[in-house]
Amino acid sequence: MKELGRISTLPINRFTSNGAYLQLSDGEEVLLPQGYLNGDEKEGDEKEVFVYTDSEDRPVAITDRPVALVDEFAVMDVKEVTQFGAFMDWGLPKDLFVPKSEMGKPITEGQKYLVMVCVDYKTNRLIGVSKYQDFMLSDTGGFEEGQEIKGLVFDKTDLGYKILIDQHYEGLVYGNEVFKPIMVGEEITAYIKKKRDDGKLDLQLTPIGRQKYEEGAEKILAVLTEKKFLPLHDKSSPEDIKISLGMSKKHFKQSIGQLYKSKKIRILNDGIEIVD
């Protein structure tokens, strides 16, 4: 069944008390339950549906859309863990099952994990696979250093945050270069800092052209990029500066001096603001 795990537009063949039966490409039918009908449909009408298997492993069509289709990744919440595997919330009435044999590492209830939706060809049903490394590509020839990318934050480690790029590439933003909150499951914009020999990508959250600033100036610039203005100046108390930026007053003054000379900020009587 080529429609399994995908969004398809299928015609209505017939109606029963259970709902509408839709025509599949292989000549078989799949039930769209009554609860997904608005009552105005007629035979021959087409419905855009997602096809998967119900709690009894029977093919069924629904009009809801999951967070990922077959052969796609998404970060999912763990709803329940059993001795056989884990059940993930992917936005549908029936949770996505990740068999224990398909776990990349032990899964903990209540946490988030990167999972790919796959077809289990032994049972002809959809399952989740958290062994994400099996799907990663190492040929990064299509990327350039300095390139802007969109990525999905899928894990936090001692080094930093792992980022999924274009569904098949792994990037890393180092923790000591992150100056704003980042959450697992969040989509972010980042820039390629380095293409590594192992096929992974080192990333940073600010454009590569800003690397010339030392760490304190980079941190202030990142905060100003988001907030536009900071009520801190050379008369601010060391405590206020430390609470807001986690740096000493001396370091703060050196950093804003560097940014001011580079014409990246304006120094006002009541604070500093970024130059657009």
Side-chain angles (χ1 to χ4, degrees), residues 2-269:
K2 74 174 188 179
E3 291 88 357
L4 184 64
R6 307 181 189 281
I7 300 294
S8 302
T9 301
L10 304 176
I12 296 176
N13 263 1
R14 59 192 176 93
F15 293 93
T16 72
S17 58
N18 294 323
Y21 280 88
L22 312 180
Q23 179 78 51
L24 295 169
S25 60
D26 61 4
E28 297 294 323
E29 293 181 323
V30 64
L31 174 67
L32 178 64
Q34 192 71 42
Y36 294 99
L37 298 173
N38 57 34
D40 297 329
E41 297 91 351
K42 58 185 182 295
E43 290 184 8
D45 286 353
E46 294 185 332
K47 299 289 288 187
E48 184 177 83
V49 296
F50 176 75
V51 178
Y52 74 139
T53 53
D54 63 15
S55 57
E56 298 181 14
D57 291 333
R58 299 171 301 187
V60 65
I62 58 175
T63 54
D64 296 333
R65 187 185 181 103
V67 296
L69 306 179
V70 69
D71 298 330
E72 291 181 352
F73 277 112
V75 171
M76 303 179 191
D77 291 305
V78 183
K79 293 185 68 175
E80 182 183 2
V81 178
T82 72
Q83 61 178 322
F84 304 108
F87 292 90
M88 316 297 290
D89 182 1
W90 64 323
L92 297 183
K94 179 190 174 186
D95 299 328
L96 183 69
F97 181 63
V98 179
K100 193 171 183 178
S101 61
E102 300 296 344
M103 293 182 184
K105 61 181 179 180
I107 286 180
T108 303
E109 189 171 321
Q111 299 299 308
K112 297 176 182 288
Y113 295 88
L114 184 68
V115 174
M116 175 172 272
V117 180
C118 298
V119 176
D120 180 356
Y121 291 102
K122 294 179 180 178
T123 62
N124 200 34
R125 64 178 181 177
L126 298 175
I127 61 169
V129 177
S130 65
K131 293 179 178 178
Y132 74 89
Q133 295 93 341
D134 293 347
F135 304 98
M136 294 295 105
L137 301 178
S138 59
D139 181 7
T140 57
F143 296 97
E144 297 179 2
E145 293 184 1
Q147 178 182 340
E148 178 182 314
I149 61 94
K150 302 290 185 183
L152 175 68
V153 182
F154 70 89
D155 196 12
K156 185 179 186 301
T157 70
D158 292 339
L159 283 177
Y161 296 87
K162 292 184 177 182
I163 312 297
L164 177 69
I165 306 163
D166 292 347
Q167 288 286 319
H168 288 292
Y169 298 92
E170 182 179 348
L172 178 70
V173 177
Y174 289 92
N176 61 0
E177 297 178 2
V178 176
F179 307 121
K180 62 180 181 180
I182 293 180
M183 304 295 292
V184 172
E186 178 183 355
E187 291 190 354
I188 65 168
T189 298
Y191 302 85
I192 297 175
K193 184 177 181 181
K194 179 182 178 181
K195 298 198 294 183
R196 288 164 36 182
D197 294 338
D198 62 1
K200 298 178 182 179
L201 300 167
D202 286 344
L203 308 173
Q204 65 180 55
L205 299 181
T206 52
I208 299 302
R210 295 180 183 169
Q211 287 183 357
K212 58 181 177 281
Y213 302 121
E214 57 87 32
E215 183 179 341
E218 189 68 73
K219 183 173 184 177
I220 293 172
L221 193 59
V223 174
L224 283 174
T225 299
E226 181 179 357
K227 296 185 176 181
K228 308 303 180 185
F229 175 80
L230 274 174
L232 299 174
H233 43 79
D234 59 359
K235 301 297 185 183
S236 297
S237 70
E239 290 77 14
D240 288 342
I241 294 171
K242 185 175 182 179
I243 291 171
S244 297
L245 296 171
M247 64 176 65
S248 68
K249 183 169 183 177
K250 180 179 179 181
H251 193 188
F252 169 74
K253 293 174 70 174
Q254 290 172 340
S255 298
I256 64 171
Q258 185 182 21
L259 292 173
Y260 180 75
K261 289 177 183 177
S262 301
K263 298 183 179 179
K264 293 295 182 182
I265 65 169
R266 298 185 186 91
I267 299 178
L268 310 175
N269 290 334

